[in-house]
């Protein structure tokens, strides 16, 4: 995990991180789950129910995009040493 790159974003305001195509997963109204390609060309494992508070976790291989009830707290804990 690249702890320095962990952040919380609103995908409506950060279009380069939007999942654009599903390579292996599920996309239903209100739910995206599985492997997706992002608009910035990166590959990500996505578990989203709310796109306004998404925790972005970059790793050396792929990124994680997660919806979390306490997204700011989760991001702070991941950034902590």
């Amino acid at each position: 995990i690249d702890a320095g790159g962990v952040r919380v974003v609103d995908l409506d305001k950060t279009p380069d991180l939007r999942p654009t195509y599903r390579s292996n997963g599920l996309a239903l109204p209100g739910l995206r789950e599985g492997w997706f390609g992002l608009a910035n060309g990166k590959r990500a494992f996505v578990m989203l129910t709310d796109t306004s508070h998404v925790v972005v976790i970059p790793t050396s291989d792929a990124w994680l995009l997660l919806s979390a009830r306490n997204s700011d707290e989760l991001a702070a804990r991941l950034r902590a040493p």
Side-chain angles (χ1 to χ4, degrees):
I1 292 176
D2 173 13
V6 173
R7 62 189 187 270
V8 177
V9 300
D10 179 343
L11 291 181
D12 290 333
K13 297 177 182 173
T14 317
D16 62 314
L17 294 177
R18 283 188 194 144
T20 56
Y21 67 90
R22 183 179 66 242
S23 62
N24 185 8
L26 177 67
L28 298 169
L31 173 67
R32 289 186 200 158
E33 179 182 333
W35 288 100
F36 285 76
L38 303 180
N40 66 4
K42 301 287 186 185
R43 188 172 79 117
F45 184 77
V46 172
M47 297 218 34
L48 298 176
T49 56
D50 176 11
T51 61
S52 64
H53 295 92
V54 176
V55 181
V56 178
I57 307 168
T59 71
S60 58
D61 182 40
W63 289 18
L64 303 170
L65 272 65
L66 308 171
S67 294
R69 183 170 297 156
N70 298 318
S71 56
D72 292 322
E73 182 181 342
L74 175 59
R77 288 179 184 238
L78 289 169
R79 285 190 298 259

